[in-house]
Amino acid sequence: VSGGLRRKGRRNGALRRPGGLRLRPPSGRRLAAVGGPAEPPPETAAVLRVAEAAARAAGLLMVAKVGAEVVQVKDYAADLLTAVDTECEEVIRKTVFEAFEDHAFLGEESVGSREAMDALIAGAGWLWVVDPIDGTTNFVSGQPMSAVSIGVAFNGTLYAGVIYDPFRDELFSASLGAGASLNGAPISISAARVPTLANAVVASGAPPNPRSSAPCFRAMSLLAPPRSRSVRILGTAAISLAWVACGRLDAWFEPDLSPWDSAAGALLVREAGGRVTDCEGQEYVLGTRPVCSSNGKIHDELLGVLAEAGATQLDVT
């Protein structure tokens, strides 16, 4: 099989990649929703427990090796990779396949091509969407602000999401229809106390792709007080989304994200009572690249600012 794949048998038409990654024959890209059927699959509770265990296991490795050296630069000079990213992904992969050997796995450090990613998202069955270290630049710099992000979908619907910040020992978890929690305690967004954008603390990113970072900075310039209360850059989409879910931030946006950046966080925000769309207001689905999340109350105001800044998607050049 081309592209470094080898056959290890088929399951429902899927090709399995070494380590359990499987690719489904392309049949037209199907967008995958966060919301879905009221009744979750029977495995959902077990999936969430395994996701939490996998996140904690990878987090232990992160804490032990924070400040690791860069071993590779990806598509852009600021897009970094350490050996620990790969080690953490393998820890998560092993934990997942020990429990669910027939599930599919989409990991940032192993997915390969964009086509492979799209094929996995379009496939049926269970899919684990994993960023082993979200906030690698922070991690390399020795800054304790990075996290493990694990979202799990079934037939395209996200049913479980876990974000683990090992430096604060904060485990954010969500299950579709069951709410969101932080270390087992229920969490909710800030809508009750932050009803307008002028009162909001809004975050964005500084992504390595200049076509993505430029729209972020244009929008943040427009959001300077008094348009909002303040603007923040945490350097990690996962923690930013988790903080929107628990009310530490009131909104967060970026015009271009990969599924592993947003899957877990999107479910967390929605289960905590917030809203997640693209940067033009279309509801988030697994595969949406521009992401705008908020407490809901300020969402339309923020979308207006993003439109004004021309920050709803990647810059053309």
Side-chain angles (χ1 to χ4, degrees):
V1 183
S2 64
L5 300 180
R6 60 188 179 91
R7 294 183 186 274
K8 294 185 68 178
R10 288 180 178 265
R11 182 182 179 86
N12 299 328
L15 295 178
R16 188 178 296 276
R17 185 188 181 105
L21 184 69
R22 59 181 183 174
L23 305 181
R24 294 188 173 275
S27 55
R29 187 160 182 260
R30 175 177 56 82
L31 291 176
V34 170
E39 290 297 323
E43 286 181 284
T44 301
V47 163
L48 184 61
R49 288 195 299 270
V50 171
E52 291 173 339
R56 285 192 178 278
L60 288 174
L61 191 57
M62 287 172 60
V63 170
K65 298 191 176 185
V66 65
E69 293 185 4
V70 176
V71 297
Q72 182 180 330
V73 173
K74 300 181 184 179
D75 293 338
Y76 301 94
D79 197 0
L80 310 179
L81 177 69
T82 74
V84 188
D85 291 82
T86 304
E87 291 171 17
C88 286
E89 184 168 307
E90 286 305 310
V91 166
I92 296 166
R93 185 194 302 273
K94 180 181 179 183
T95 304
V96 170
F97 286 114
E98 283 178 350
F100 307 110
E101 64 179 10
D102 62 339
H103 287 196
F105 192 95
L106 172 57
E108 178 180 12
E109 310 310 337
S110 59
V111 63
S113 68
R114 178 72 173 267
E115 290 74 19
M117 179 182 73
D118 288 346
L120 281 166
I121 291 174
W126 287 100
L127 174 64
W128 292 67
V129 186
V130 174
D131 191 343
I133 302 180
D134 186 72
T136 300
T137 298
N138 290 348
F139 182 76
V140 167
S141 301
Q143 300 174 18
M145 181 66 77
S146 49
V148 183
S149 180
I150 302 174
V152 194
F154 180 75
N155 288 347
T157 297
L158 282 163
Y159 278 97
V162 172
I163 293 173
Y164 181 52
D165 176 354
F167 301 103
R168 293 165 187 78
D169 192 26
E170 291 189 332
L171 184 71
F172 297 86
S173 299
S175 182
L176 183 62
S181 65
L182 168 54
N183 291 343
I187 56 174
S188 62
I189 43 83
S190 64
R193 59 181 173 80
V194 183
T196 65
L197 186 60
N199 302 120
V201 177
V202 181
S204 187
N209 181 354
R211 294 174 56 211
S212 181
S213 59
C216 290
F217 286 113
R218 288 198 302 271
M220 285 187 280
S221 294
L222 291 183
L223 286 164
R227 200 80 177 263
S228 72
R229 175 168 290 169
S230 189
V231 178
R232 296 285 185 269
I233 297 176
L234 302 185
T236 156
I239 291 180
S240 297
L241 286 162
W243 283 18
V244 172
C246 71
R248 294 175 188 169
L249 292 172
D250 307 306
W252 177 86
F253 67 90
E254 259 193 50
D256 187 56
L257 290 169
S258 295
W260 46 78
D261 297 314
S262 60
L267 185 61
L268 276 164
V269 171
R270 282 184 171 166
E271 286 299 316
R275 187 177 174 194
V276 189
T277 68
D278 70 9
C279 292
E280 294 179 331
Q282 296 297 311
E283 295 303 314
Y284 175 92
V285 296
L286 185 59
T288 295
R289 296 194 70 90
V291 176
C292 181
S293 66
S294 79
N295 67 8
K297 291 285 188 179
I298 65 171
H299 204 86
D300 290 340
E301 280 188 274
L302 179 56
L303 290 175
V305 174
L306 299 184
E308 182 182 347
T312 60
Q313 57 188 349
L314 285 173
D315 282 351
V316 175
T317 56

